[in-house]
Structure formats: structure tokens, C-alpha cells
Amino acid sequence: MNESTPGLADDPIVTKSYVDKKVAELVAAELEKIGAGGGQGTGTMAQLEVVNVALGQKLTIAAGGELIVRTGKAIAFSSDTNGLSDMTDGLDIKPGAVVGNNHLILFPRDGRGVHPDPKGKVGLTVLVRGGYTLK
């Protein structure tokens, strides 16, 4: 086996700052490759928007959207039998079930949303991140 002598041309001694610099360059190059992978992200996070939902209205959230119910009693709805993802409790909220206040709710597909409890006397105030329609 051919042993190299540290410090010679075939086995140079380098400084920590040189190694740190090279590692940072490699990481930056990898991150640039990942960023150029065809994604559609803008690099900025959408802001939470306050939305008021009156009695009788339905708030439909676009796929990938998020919602937090602040006031009122929200009822989940869905265009199919699947529900909403409650990220706070780690549960699936079935259509027709109550959505907990101050829970982060993720909408994995289009056609899902919330509406105020029809038995209630007030609407909802919610925070929404992502696309939505209010009808």
C-alpha cells in the first residue's frame, strides 16, 4: 500500500477555513440545483388573510391552502367523502364535523372548505393562506 506523507503535494495539509469554504460552496451548488428543479415556488411565503364568512356562506379553500378558525363554529364540507387535515391534533376532520378553533387545518385537495354552523347565530372569522372562494 502506498502511504502518503502529510504535507506533500499528493496529501496537502489544509486549513479549517479552506475546508469550511469548500463545503459552503458545495452546499450552495446543491441548493441551486434543487431550486432549479422545475418547482413553481416564489421563495416567499403567502400571508395569512383575515376572512369573514357570514351565515349561509361557504368558504372553499384551494388545494394546499391552510385555515385557522378564530371565532365562530365552523363545519367542514367536502366534495367527496374525504376530509380536512387537522395538523394541530393530527386528525382527519370528516365532512359535517366541527373544525376546532385555533387549529391549523390543511386542505389537501380542491373542493373542500368550511361554513358557519347553520344552528349558530354568528358567522366565522378565519385566517386563510392560499387561494379560496367565498360564496
Side-chain angles (χ1 to χ4, degrees):
M1 187 166 153
N2 187 2
E3 296 275 329
S4 296
T5 305
L8 295 180
D10 62 337
D11 188 14
I13 297 175
V14 296
T15 63
K16 180 183 178 310
S17 62
Y18 174 82
V19 172
D20 290 345
K21 177 182 172 193
K22 290 299 180 186
V23 168
E25 289 171 359
L26 289 171
V27 168
E30 286 301 311
L31 289 175
E32 189 173 313
K33 279 191 228 173
I34 292 169
Q40 296 179 358
T42 62
T44 61
M45 182 172 274
Q47 298 296 313
L48 287 168
E49 183 177 342
V50 177
V51 178
N52 293 303
V53 185
L55 284 172
Q57 287 186 310
K58 284 189 169 189
L59 177 66
T60 305
I61 309 293
E66 299 172 336
L67 171 125
I68 299 171
V69 178
R70 295 293 292 146
T71 62
K73 185 175 179 183
I75 306 297
F77 71 85
S78 177
S79 60
D80 55 30
T81 59
N82 295 311
L84 317 177
S85 299
D86 184 335
M87 305 307 289
T88 303
D89 282 343
L91 301 172
D92 187 52
I93 303 171
K94 297 294 182 192
V98 174
V99 177
N101 287 28
N102 298 311
H103 286 222
L104 177 60
I105 309 301
L106 178 67
F107 292 79
R109 298 190 196 286
D110 288 330
R112 301 173 188 191
V114 297
H115 61 82
D117 184 351
K119 298 174 190 166
K121 297 181 181 178
V122 296
L124 305 172
T125 300
V126 299
L127 300 173
V128 177
R129 184 184 332 261
Y132 69 90
T133 56
L134 184 60
K135 293 183 180 180

